[in-house]
């Protein structure tokens, strides 16, 4: 009788521990949205949101070299290049930079640009008012398009930073690819039905 | 006192190999775990020697870089999941029922399953070398996005991790249930031997952290084949997220390896000092706080991913906090020896080796916890030196101490004391020749996980490789010591260690009978 009792106790504990294991498995998955949320709330993940600019004076006494760079990540043969590779700017000054996308292929797709900075900690001093990286872009076949970025270098940029590199990697969004012909066909099918 | 009375109940026990395939006896299963882990240790060791052979000289001589990467990866995975963890589960199986006065583990059939899941996982890991493109060459941390670009070997690796995780979780559930429900009357929680306490805490760590790893590799798998984008930046995922999930498991994992080792040491040092463990209660609380803290410090592995400085500060200080309970343990061990009448048989020698070298590994850990220093040392040989001090000189030495300590109880024969001591001194020497010099390499800037290196690193690498081969041979010697004890060891006395006080020594004959404590001893008084 005591043995049966122990058996039951053991089984109850077994069940509880299995639940713990399952909850922790779910927790692993819950870390995905949690991580995004924490990054958003703490402002780590504000790569694709416009910055707020506190009105600033232009600091004419200081010149910062801005370097631009761009890469693409996709199996399709398109490219993104900075129109100006280098600019001298004053902190506080409104800067326009242009990146040119060339897609010589028949492929249509969506793309998203993600910025990165050198040195890394310069990121927080490049305040972007407008950027093609804030949204996904639809890229047409045989298209050449200029994208612009408008930003201000925050005058509180540490004095030892003389050069800031702004680099974009533009990713093709998987599953958005189609070719010119097939879109015609899709349109045609949509028309027929 | 239970005499070795007759156990010819009328169930028919299968013989030969079937005895081991079908066994539900905790002692059989414990032995299988220990032998399996020792075999995996040798396999992982050969892989380490492939790595060290390539690194003997600068330039590429022995293997292709891709194969080198596969060796590092498999070495890491096999040592962690195949050698060290199963070894301590083996100890748990043998010792926990005997130390708390239980007849067996709570779920003997599940226990059999937990073990028999391991060989398929081992075969999958090693078999992945034969897959097209070879095994995954991604490091044991399996970081995205590299894992997404690997061949089929990666899938086999992921599947192996799933199986290993399942085995660990089942084993842990068994251990927790046994400890909580099956203690002999009078064996209160605060009377349990510290080894049992450390395993209780470790088992909770396992149940809470292994599923997270399973989640991480499942996400990798679906990213690879089923169009999800958890870690793929092109689809809006984030590779840094992988690191967070992995290390949320990974840091507790290092304590899963270390805490049972603490348990073994906490049995061996009092026995050979002939004094009770100093500060028993503080040991229990220290182990508990280490376990809780271990879930709160994971991003100290990620100082270079570009975290905000506030987060870096938090992880730095939280990590350093762990030094306090760890320090409590080290001081308690030292205080146990204080004015004890110590003797230095092989188990005690390995415990002393553990104490010295684990403490060095702990100190380099504190060095690495300092964010600005880690940004310099991250992914250098300094880190390799650090974790081998805690895992080899820590966990592995503790396992050796445990084997020498309990071997008489398990097989009823003594090992050859002289050979045991030789094994210790060889291991100690070659360990330091191999790994101490890696601190210099790391400080000088040699990156880890590379098959070739700049010329200025040549000398210490040669020293380290010589040490590694010496260490490897010392472990073959250990196999000889073991086999000699099993075949022709002297008959062990009933109580080979006069200072031992736990139930398996005081209440059971030597060797322990196949079935022990079928009626629990009454410890109330
Ligand atoms: C015979 C003794 C051993 C030797 C000579 C040895 C040697 C090595 C070497 C050369 C590396 C590669 C370092 C690199 O390039 O990054 C390595 C990595 C590693 N070792 Fe060992 N090792 C030994 C035992 C162990 C044990 C017992 C464990 C674990 C419990 C272990 C865990 C690891 C881990 C986790 C890695 C990292 C793998 C990775 O980079 O993904 N090693 N070891
Ligand atoms: Cu850690």
């Amino acid at each position: 009788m005591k043995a049966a009792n122990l058996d039951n106790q053991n089984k109850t504990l077994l069940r509880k521990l299995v639940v713990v294991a399952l909850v922790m498995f779910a927790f692993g998955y819950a870390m995905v949205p949690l991580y995004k949320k924490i990054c958003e709330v703490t402002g780590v993940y504000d790569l694709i949101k416009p910055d707020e600019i506190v009105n600033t004076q232009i600091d004419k006494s200081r010149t910062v070299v801005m370097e631009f760079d761009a890469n693409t990540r996709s199996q399709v043969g398109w490219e993104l290049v900075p129109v100006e590779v280098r600019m001298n700017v004053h902190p506080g000054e409104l800067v326009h930079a242009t990146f040119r996308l060339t897609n010589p292929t028949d492929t249509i797709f969506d793309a998203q640009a993600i910025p990165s900075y050198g040195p890394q900690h310069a990121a927080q001093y490049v305040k972007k008012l407008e950027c093609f990286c804030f949204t996904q872009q639809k890229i047409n076949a045989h298209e050449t398009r200029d994208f612009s970025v408008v930003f201000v270098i925050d005058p509180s940029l540490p004095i030892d930073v003389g050069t800031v590199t702004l680099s974009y990697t533009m990713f093709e969004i998987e599953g958005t690819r189609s070719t010119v012909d097939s879109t015609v066909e899709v349109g045609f099918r949509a028309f027929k039905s | 006192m239970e005499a070795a009375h007759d156990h010819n109940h009328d169930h028919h026990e299968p013989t030969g190999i079937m005895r081991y395939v079908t066994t539900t006896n905790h002692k059989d299963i414990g032995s299988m775990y220990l032998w399996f882990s020792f075999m995996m240790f040798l396999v992982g060791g050969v892989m380490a020697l492939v790595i060290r052979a390539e690194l003997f000289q600068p330039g590429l001589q022995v293997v292709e870089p891709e194969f080198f990467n596969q060796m590092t990866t498999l070495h890491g995975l096999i040592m962690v999941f195949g050698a060290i963890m199963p070894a301590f589960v083996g100890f748990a199986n043998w010792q926990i029922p005997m130390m708390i006065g239980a007849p067996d583990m709570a779920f003997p059939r599940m226990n059999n399953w937990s073990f028999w899941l391991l060989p398929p996982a081992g075969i999958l890991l090693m078999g992945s070398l034969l897959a097209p493109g070879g095994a995954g060459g991604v490091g044991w941390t399996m970081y995205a996005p590299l894992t997404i670009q690997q061949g089929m070997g990666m899938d086999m690796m992921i599947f192996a991790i799933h199986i290993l995780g399942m085995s660990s979780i089942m084993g842990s559930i068994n251990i927790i249930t046994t400890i909580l429900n099956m203690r002999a009357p009078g064996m209160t929680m605060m009377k349990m031997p510290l080894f049992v306490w450390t395993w209780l805490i470790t088992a909770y760590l396992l149940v809470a952290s292994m599923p997270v790893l399973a989640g991480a590799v499942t996400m990798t798998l679906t990213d690879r084949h089923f169009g999800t984008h958890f870690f793929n930046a092109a689809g809006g995922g984030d590779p840094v997220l992988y690191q967070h999930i992995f290390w949320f498991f990974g840091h507790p994992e290092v304590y899963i390896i270390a805490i049972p080792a603490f348990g073994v040491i906490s049995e061996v040092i009092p026995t050979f000092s002939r004094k009770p463990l100093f500060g028993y209660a503080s040991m229990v609380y220290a182990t508990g706080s280490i376990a809780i803290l271990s879930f709160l410090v994971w991003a100290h592995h990620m100082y270079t991913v570009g975290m905000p400085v506030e987060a870096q500060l938090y992880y730095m200080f939280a990590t350093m906090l762990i030094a306090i309970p760890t320090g409590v343990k080290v001081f308690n061990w030292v205080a146990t020896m204080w004015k004890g009448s110590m003797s230095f048989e092989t188990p005690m020698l390995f415990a002393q080796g553990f104490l010295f070298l684990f403490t060095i590994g702990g100190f380099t850990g504190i060095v690495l916890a300092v964010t600005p220093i880690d940004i310099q040392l991250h992914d250098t040989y300094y880190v390799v030196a650090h974790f081998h001090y805690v895992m080899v000189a820590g966990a592995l030495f503790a396992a050796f101490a445990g084997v020498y300590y309990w071997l008489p109880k398990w097989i009823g024969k003594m090992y050859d004391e002289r050979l045991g001591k030789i094994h210790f001194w060889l291991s100690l020497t070659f360990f330091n020749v191999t790994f101490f010099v890696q601190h210099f390499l790391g400080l000088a800037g040699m990156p880890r996980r590379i098959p070739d290196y700049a010329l200025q690193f040549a000398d210490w690498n040669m020293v380290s490789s010589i040490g590694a081969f010496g260490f490897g041979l010392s472990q073959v010697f250990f196999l000889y010591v073991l086999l000699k004890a099993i075949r022709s060891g002297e008959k062990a006395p009933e109580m080979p260690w006069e200072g031992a006080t736990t139930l398996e020594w005081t209440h059971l004959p030597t060797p322990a009978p196949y079935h022990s404590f079928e009626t629990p001893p009454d410890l109330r008084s």
Side-chain angles (χ1 to χ4, degrees):
Chain A
M1 210 190 86
K2 198 160 160 279
N5 196 5
L6 178 67
D7 239 36
N8 283 338
Q9 274 183 349
N10 287 355
K11 290 217 176 92
T12 319
L13 193 50
L14 171 78
R15 253 177 253 123
K16 284 185 191 157
L17 291 167
V18 169
V19 170
V20 173
L22 291 177
V23 167
M24 288 314 288
F25 186 74
F27 175 75
Y29 276 83
M31 277 175 89
V32 179
L34 216 62
Y35 169 77
K36 294 246 158 79
K37 201 77 215 156
I38 289 173
C39 290
E40 248 169 60
V41 170
T42 57
V44 182
Y45 207 68
D46 59 0
L47 293 174
I48 52 171
K49 275 206 310 260
D51 293 304
E52 300 210 355
I53 309 251
V54 215
N55 190 20
T56 51
Q57 298 291 309
I58 299 179
D59 182 357
K60 289 266 188 210
S61 65
R62 189 172 166 203
T63 307
V64 176
V65 181
M66 280 300 302
E67 291 181 339
F68 302 100
D69 170 59
N71 314 280
T72 55
R73 270 281 215 89
S74 153
Q75 269 96 46
V76 185
W78 51 285
E79 61 175 17
L80 183 73
V81 289
V83 173
E84 311 86 354
V85 173
R86 186 187 299 259
M87 275 188 212
N88 290 333
V89 307
H90 299 302
E93 175 187 14
L94 204 63
V95 188
H96 294 257
T98 313
F99 290 78
R100 180 162 301 153
L101 182 142
T102 321
N103 176 20
T105 69
D106 286 340
T107 312
I108 299 171
F109 57 92
D110 291 355
Q112 166 78 55
I114 300 284
S116 65
Y117 303 86
Q120 206 177 34
H121 62 274
Q124 52 191 305
Y125 303 100
V126 179
K127 303 282 187 193
K128 283 192 261 132
L129 296 134
E130 209 183 292
C131 178
F132 66 109
C133 60
F134 292 161
T135 51
Q136 293 188 355
Q137 306 287 343
K138 180 144 207 83
I139 313 295
N140 281 312
H142 303 287
E143 184 185 29
T144 299
R145 197 184 332 165
D146 283 353
F147 291 121
S148 66
V149 186
V150 181
F151 63 90
V152 173
I153 298 282
D154 193 317
S156 61
L157 179 74
I159 201 72
D160 59 319
V161 181
T163 306
V164 174
T165 309
L166 169 57
S167 168
Y168 283 102
T169 304
M170 201 148 181
F171 294 96
E172 177 191 336
I173 310 287
E174 253 176 65
T176 59
R177 193 189 294 179
S178 58
T179 58
V180 189
D181 295 330
S182 68
T183 33
V184 171
E185 207 185 293
V186 170
F188 181 62
R189 243 191 271 127
F191 177 69
K192 267 211 315 193
S193 57
Chain B
M1 179 81 68
E2 185 184 21
H5 57 77
D6 210 5
H7 278 294
N8 292 331
H9 308 293
D10 34 22
H11 50 213
H12 300 282
E13 315 226 316
T15 49
I17 178 118
M18 279 320 279
R19 162 171 166 205
Y20 286 99
V21 173
T22 58
T23 183
T24 55
N25 179 284
H26 71 103
K27 299 189 179 80
D28 282 346
I29 294 173
S31 304
M32 292 197 295
Y33 263 108
L34 287 164
W35 278 113
F36 175 82
S37 68
F38 190 63
M39 271 158 49
M40 284 291 127
F41 172 64
L42 294 181
V43 170
V46 168
M47 291 172 170
L49 295 184
V50 172
I51 301 171
R52 282 314 328 170
E54 179 55 61
L55 295 175
F56 186 69
Q57 284 183 339
L60 292 175
Q61 290 94 13
V62 185
V63 292
E64 296 293 314
E66 293 77 19
F67 188 72
F68 181 94
N69 288 346
Q70 296 169 17
M71 285 291 109
T72 357
T73 308
L74 286 181
H75 162 74
L77 286 173
I78 287 181
M79 285 299 193
V80 170
F81 293 103
I84 297 293
M85 287 169 65
F88 284 104
V89 181
F91 281 107
N93 264 293
W94 259 101
Q95 291 307 126
I96 289 175
M98 293 202 292
M99 288 174 116
I100 61 173
D104 204 312
M105 299 294 279
F107 307 106
R109 215 162 285 281
M110 187 163 88
N111 206 12
N112 173 289
W113 267 99
S114 314
F115 173 76
W116 282 109
L117 283 175
L118 293 180
I123 291 168
L124 266 177
L125 274 181
M126 285 184 281
S128 70
L129 279 171
L130 306 175
V138 292
W140 86 282
T141 47
M142 300 175 286
Y143 274 10
L146 190 55
T147 41
I148 308 206
Q149 299 152 11
Q150 302 285 305
M152 213 182 104
M154 192 66 220
D155 299 316
M156 296 169 74
M157 193 174 274
I158 290 174
F159 196 39
I161 300 279
H162 279 137
I163 302 178
L164 290 164
M166 215 117 70
S167 158
S168 292
I169 292 169
M170 282 159 57
S172 312
I173 291 178
N174 222 332
I175 288 170
I176 295 174
T177 311
T178 309
I179 297 175
L180 292 186
N181 288 357
M182 298 177 61
R183 297 188 312 277
M187 174 66 73
T188 58
M189 291 299 275
M190 289 312 268
K191 277 195 189 148
M192 292 193 318
L194 212 79
F195 177 76
V196 179
W197 257 114
T198 55
W199 247 117
L200 179 64
I201 290 166
T202 305
Y204 273 112
L205 282 183
L206 275 165
V207 173
S209 72
M210 285 309 287
V212 178
L213 175 68
V217 295
T218 309
M219 289 180 217
T220 305
L221 189 75
T222 56
D223 269 14
R224 283 168 58 78
H225 297 296
F226 303 106
T228 58
H229 299 287
F230 289 107
F231 310 131
N232 188 353
D238 189 338
V240 174
L241 170 64
Y242 174 82
Q243 299 189 21
H244 280 290
I245 303 177
F246 178 84
W247 286 111
F248 184 86
F249 147 82
H251 191 77
E253 169 67 16
V254 306
Y255 285 101
I256 288 166
I257 290 175
I259 289 178
F262 296 165
V264 173
I265 297 302
S266 304
E267 301 303 328
V268 170
I269 288 185
T271 298
F272 294 90
S273 306
R274 292 161 183 81
K275 265 180 68 189
L277 184 68
F278 185 88
Y280 171 88
S282 71
M283 282 301 222
V284 172
Y285 296 128
T287 314
S289 14
I290 291 177
I292 291 166
L293 284 174
S294 76
F295 278 108
L296 304 173
V297 299
W298 74 89
H300 61 213
H301 297 273
M302 303 170 54
Y303 285 140
T304 56
V305 300
M307 273 189 292
V309 74
E310 294 82 358
Q312 298 191 340
L313 282 171
Y314 161 74
Y315 282 110
M316 171 164 113
F317 288 122
T319 302
M320 289 184 172
L321 208 57
I322 299 191
I324 296 172
T326 313
V328 168
K329 302 189 76 99
V330 171
F331 284 119
N332 278 341
W333 289 321
V334 174
T336 306
M337 296 186 288
W338 177 251
K339 292 190 172 168
S341 60
M342 291 163 71
S343 58
F344 294 93
E345 289 87 344
T346 310
M348 184 60 156
L349 286 178
F350 271 107
Q352 298 298 316
F354 167 95
L355 203 51
F356 277 107
L357 299 177
F358 181 84
T359 306
I360 293 179
F363 278 135
T364 54
I366 299 178
V367 172
L368 289 169
V370 183
T371 313
I373 299 183
D374 184 68
I375 287 171
Q376 285 287 316
L377 295 178
H378 182 70
D379 266 350
T380 67
Y381 259 83
Y382 191 88
V383 176
V384 177
H386 156 70
F387 67 67
H388 284 94
Y389 266 77
V390 287
M391 290 202 283
V392 179
L396 183 64
F397 275 25
F400 286 148
V403 169
Y404 285 112
Y405 179 53
W406 280 304
L407 197 67
K409 181 55 65 181
W410 296 342
I411 63 172
K413 295 181 190 169
M414 295 301 287
Y415 61 90
D416 184 328
E417 192 60 59
R418 199 176 58 92
L419 298 187
K421 283 184 174 153
I422 293 174
H423 173 223
F424 168 73
W425 288 108
L426 287 177
S427 297
L428 183 81
T429 311
F430 284 123
F431 171 80
N432 282 296
V433 174
T434 312
F435 292 108
F436 198 77
V437 299
Q438 292 184 359
H439 291 113
F440 310 149
L441 287 170
L443 288 168
M446 178 170 160
R448 66 190 274 214
R449 295 176 175 169
I450 52 161
D452 186 9
Y453 48 83
L455 291 180
Q456 68 267 29
F457 304 128
D459 295 351
W460 289 129
N461 268 298
M462 189 175 281
V463 171
S464 179
S465 289
I466 292 171
F469 278 88
F471 191 85
L473 289 177
S474 317
Q475 305 326 316
V476 177
F477 181 67
F478 172 58
L479 180 62
Y480 168 74
V481 181
L482 269 186
L483 292 179
K484 180 160 183 265
I486 292 169
R487 282 160 155 238
S488 57
E490 261 173 57
K491 187 171 167 9
E494 274 299 294
M495 176 58 111
W497 320 119
E498 57 179 23
T501 53
T502 39
L503 288 191
E504 81 278 25
W505 299 111
T506 54
H507 284 60
L508 288 177
T510 302
Y514 191 63
H515 296 282
S516 45
F517 291 135
E518 289 194 310
T519 42
D522 195 341
L523 306 167
R524 286 169 295 199
S525 63

